[in-house]
Amino acid sequence: ILSKNVSQINPLRPGCFLVMRNASRMYIGELLDLYKKTSGRHGSVKSAVSCSGLSYLSLRVYLPLTTDGGASSAAAAAAADIVDVSDGDDDPLSEQRFSCRSQSSDIYTHASAQDLLYNLGTDALAGKPDSMLLSAFSASQWRALSKPKVQSVVKLTIKIP
């Protein structure tokens, strides 16, 4: 978790999918732009081989789809600012789908680089924007980072300066 899977072999660059965690939710973000603070200003950079010095990330947000009475509720989760991050079903064959749509609009955010948990790379999600499916490797990383024990460690780690 310390390197966040960011390295020369797996740099942060636009198109990467990232597991993000802020105070209220865990989500996947598609990286649109990276920012570093230099000379008192935040400037865009093309890529980064570490998280050191990064200040903000521009992201398209993908929320986990849940089912309430048979209907997908990514929009309800976005409106309520709540996402269930429990590990739920540990069946490795269970599919986890994500959507970047809230009603008819895509969801975007400008997040602190400190909220980055893990770089999944560029091939983490596939499908249509309203029903993206995680690759097998990315699904295992998502499930591992979603476990309550990991979440409690992540919360402690984020609070340490």
Side-chain angles (χ1 to χ4, degrees):
I1 288 182
L2 291 177
S3 73
K4 302 178 182 192
N5 198 32
V6 178
S7 66
Q8 289 184 346
I9 295 170
N10 198 30
L12 286 178
R13 61 182 181 269
C16 286
F17 291 95
L18 313 172
V19 177
M20 302 292 292
R21 172 76 187 183
N22 60 24
S24 60
R25 72 173 71 221
M26 188 168 136
Y27 60 93
I28 292 180
E30 179 183 0
L31 187 60
L32 304 174
D33 207 353
L34 305 91
Y35 299 93
K36 277 190 173 186
K37 189 171 184 178
T38 56
S39 304
R41 294 182 177 208
H42 298 274
S44 177
V45 295
K46 291 183 181 182
S47 65
V49 296
S50 78
C51 295
S52 178
L54 291 177
S55 53
Y56 294 100
L57 306 171
S58 289
L59 305 164
R60 177 179 290 117
V61 175
Y62 289 86
L63 297 174
L65 291 175
T66 58
T67 305
D68 291 325
S72 296
S73 63
D81 200 30
I82 297 170
V83 171
D84 180 11
V85 295
S86 64
D87 60 348
D89 186 9
D90 279 336
D91 178 6
L93 300 176
S94 66
E95 294 182 345
Q96 178 64 63
R97 294 193 176 269
F98 291 78
S99 177
C100 67
R101 299 271 165 88
S102 176
Q103 298 174 10
S104 62
S105 300
D106 285 2
I107 307 167
Y108 296 92
T109 194
H110 195 66
S112 170
Q114 293 178 345
D115 292 347
L116 170 63
L117 292 183
Y118 195 83
N119 179 9
L120 295 170
T122 56
D123 298 325
L125 285 171
K128 295 181 180 182
D130 59 343
S131 184
M132 301 284 278
L133 182 63
L134 280 172
S135 68
F137 174 77
S138 298
S140 69
Q141 300 303 87
W142 174 263
R143 280 192 299 274
L145 290 166
S146 298
K147 292 188 180 287
K149 287 183 181 180
V150 174
Q151 288 294 313
S152 64
V153 171
V154 168
K155 287 177 186 174
L156 292 174
T157 304
I158 291 174
K159 292 181 181 179
I160 298 173

